[in-house]
């Protein structure tokens, strides 16, 4: 059974940083596009960032995180990362990683990534 497990969330002050990790098992991550999505209370889930199989050469970021967040992957470790810097209160949400079998151009939308982890809470507050 495919499983994605996120970690690295927590409470951080505005301007701080967090690094989220997502470990995939038992399949080989290199064949999958990776996405990070988030859902704040009372809001719909939104795409944060995605990168393409096999090496992440194509990436996409939502405008609100450009220049602050960086998506990456380590296919040997079967792990994806989201480095989040200069965090703002509006980044507070549950963050999910998700994968989809890579077939064609990268499309970073929640409906395109059917396999999702259980999420990790990120809270940005002073």
């Amino acid at each position: 059974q495919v499983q994605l497990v996120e970690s690295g969330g927590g409470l951080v002050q505005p301007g701080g940083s967090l690094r989220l990790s997502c470990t995939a098992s038992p399949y080989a991550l290199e064949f999958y596009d990776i996405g990070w999505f988030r859902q704040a209370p009372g809001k719909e889930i939104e795409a944060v960032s995605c990168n393409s199989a096999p090496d992440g050469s194509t990436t996409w970021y939502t405008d609100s995180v450009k220049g602050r967040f960086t998506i990456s992957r380590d296919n040997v470790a079967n792990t994806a990362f989201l480095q989040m810097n200069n965090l703002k209160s509006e980044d507070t949400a549950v963050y999910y990683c998700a994968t989809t079998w890579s077939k064609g151009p990268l499309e970073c939308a929640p409906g395109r990534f059917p396999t999702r982890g259980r999420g990790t809470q990120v809270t940005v507050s002073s």
Side-chain angles (χ1 to χ4, degrees):
Q1 183 177 353
V2 170
Q3 187 176 21
L4 300 170
V5 179
E6 302 95 339
S7 61
L11 173 64
V12 64
Q13 292 185 343
S17 297
L18 286 174
R19 190 191 196 203
L20 305 184
S21 299
C22 172
T23 301
S25 63
Y27 56 91
L29 201 56
E30 64 183 303
F31 299 112
Y32 292 80
D33 296 336
I34 297 167
W36 286 95
F37 302 87
R38 66 186 179 188
Q39 189 166 26
K43 295 187 177 181
E44 293 185 357
I45 193 165
E46 67 166 336
V48 176
S49 180
C50 295
N51 85 13
S52 59
D55 58 2
S57 57
T58 300
T59 60
W60 179 91
Y61 297 93
T62 193
D63 287 345
S64 63
V65 308
K66 286 180 180 177
R68 301 189 297 123
F69 290 11
T70 303
I71 190 172
S72 61
R73 63 164 75 208
D74 180 343
N75 288 333
V76 173
N78 258 7
T79 303
F81 303 97
L82 186 68
Q83 177 68 42
M84 306 187 296
N85 298 329
N86 190 21
L87 282 159
K88 304 177 180 181
S89 58
E90 52 263 43
D91 295 318
T92 295
V94 177
Y95 284 71
Y96 302 90
C97 72
T99 59
T100 186
W101 182 261
S102 183
K103 49 181 187 297
L106 181 67
E107 183 177 346
C108 197
R112 299 282 293 182
F113 286 75
T115 303
R116 190 180 302 167
R118 298 181 69 176
T120 185
Q121 176 70 47
V122 171
T123 303
V124 185
S125 175
S126 55

